Amino acid sequence: MEKSQETRELLETYYQGFAEKANWESVIADDFQYIGGDMTNIAPVTGKQAYVEIIKRFSQRFEAMRVQRMIVEDDRAAVIGNYDFVFPNGVKINGNVAEFWTVSNGKLSSLTLYFDTLTFMSNLK
């Protein structure tokens, strides 16, 4: 299978499950590397289970998500995800997240996120 097609299919499976908040974990590599949410700390969180725990917390903050744009090149992809966030303080915000992926050995192997952490964190208080 062509690398770009494999990457696209893995991401489509991930985002379908992610939007439904279920059944997205199967495409994540055991040694998954995640960077996001803190520009001052670029050390990756390593491991599938560690990422699953991060997503359990993050999933509490969004009602819905959609893929706005996906650009795939071989075993790499850039995705703009659009999220409807709901915060404990009652504030609802629609926001975009830039998501950069890599694929290795038939699994999603890494993700680096970029988003407005100031607005996000200030609404968690």
Side-chain angles (χ1 to χ4, degrees), residues 45-103:
V45 173
T46 302
K48 179 177 182 173
Q49 192 54 45
Y51 181 64
V52 167
E53 293 303 316
I54 289 168
I55 295 307
K56 280 183 187 177
R57 292 188 305 273
F58 180 72
S59 291
Q60 297 171 5
R61 299 287 73 91
F62 74 89
E63 287 183 328
M65 79 81 51
R66 296 150 294 284
V67 172
Q68 274 194 332
R69 183 155 190 137
M70 182 185 300
I71 301 167
V72 177
E73 182 180 283
D74 297 325
D75 59 354
R76 296 174 296 159
V79 174
I80 302 295
N82 179 259
Y83 293 81
D84 295 327
F85 294 109
V86 178
F87 295 95
N89 62 5
V91 171
K92 293 184 176 191
I93 296 173
N94 177 271
N96 290 330
V97 177
E99 307 175 356
F100 297 90
W101 295 91
T102 60
V103 170

